[in-house]
Amino acid sequence: MNRWIAIVPLLALIALAIIGAQNLMREEKPSAGLSDNRPAPTRAFQRLEDAPSPIRFNPNTDEKAVVVNLFASWCGPCEVEHPLLMALSEQHPDRLVGLLYKDDPENGRAFLARLGNPFQAVGQDPSGQGGIDFGLTGVPETFVVGADGIIKLHVRGPLTPNDVDKISSLLNSER
């Protein structure tokens, strides 16, 4: 009888490991999808490049839907998703905005110089408060903000080709 008592926690641990592995290997990310249509932050983000006007998403000063990608030079998954951002930028020029999250501006510039810059503009979020305002859970994360300043899509984690297709469709419909 004592043997069974010792085995029960081990079996429970194995069952949790199997469930966790299945969730990690799912093709579709459960957090990728339409948002609750909440407003984008009203915060103004200082630009990484020398420009006098800050970046704003609500009101959306571009008057068209934009993709907002929060990234950092120290983020490995950000580097992994970067080719997909470059491809998305080719499909939709001037529709991508980057936010450098809790990173040194020089490191952000070096990251973009090394991998290419898919963004029409890059803002800075040195304190991370802007990311919190967006609903960020960890970089990288991507948001589509409509011309009305409402978040239309929130993708947690690195982009997949399926995510890029969803984003592209949304940008085409939000012209």
Side-chain angles (χ1 to χ4, degrees):
M1 183 68 171
N2 288 338
R3 281 188 196 174
W4 286 108
I5 292 173
I7 292 175
V8 170
L10 180 60
L11 292 175
L13 182 62
I14 291 170
L16 287 173
I18 290 170
I19 292 169
Q22 288 174 335
N23 283 334
L24 287 173
M25 293 192 298
R26 271 199 267 179
E27 180 69 28
E28 184 66 26
K29 293 181 272 189
S31 59
L34 290 177
S35 76
D36 56 0
N37 288 323
R38 58 193 164 80
T42 56
R43 172 181 307 275
F45 295 91
Q46 179 183 350
R47 293 177 185 259
L48 184 63
E49 57 277 338
D50 292 328
S53 62
I55 299 170
R56 295 183 182 278
F57 301 105
N58 190 3
N60 184 339
T61 56
D62 287 338
E63 298 180 4
K64 60 186 172 194
V66 294
V67 177
V68 182
N69 178 262
L70 284 90
F71 73 100
S73 67
W74 45 262
C75 166
C78 296
E79 192 164 333
V80 170
E81 80 170 358
H82 203 80
L84 291 173
L85 289 169
M86 295 296 288
L88 187 61
S89 178
E90 287 178 20
Q91 295 172 10
H92 301 279
D94 301 328
R95 304 287 289 274
L96 275 71
V97 176
L99 284 180
L100 185 62
Y101 179 78
K102 288 189 171 184
D103 203 349
D104 179 80
E106 286 307 312
N107 292 343
R109 286 185 193 97
F111 178 86
L112 294 173
R114 182 170 51 86
L115 297 176
N117 187 349
F119 305 117
Q120 74 174 16
V122 180
Q124 300 179 61
D125 186 15
S127 70
Q129 189 59 50
I132 291 170
D133 293 349
F134 262 104
L136 180 78
T137 59
V139 289
E141 287 192 17
T142 305
F143 301 83
V144 176
V145 178
D148 57 0
I150 301 297
I151 297 172
K152 306 295 184 181
L153 182 73
H154 178 184
V155 180
R156 290 180 173 89
L159 294 173
T160 65
N162 188 35
D163 295 328
V164 171
D165 290 344
K166 286 180 188 176
I167 291 168
S168 187
S169 294
L170 194 53
L171 290 176
N172 287 334
S173 70
E174 288 270 331
R175 289 191 185 263

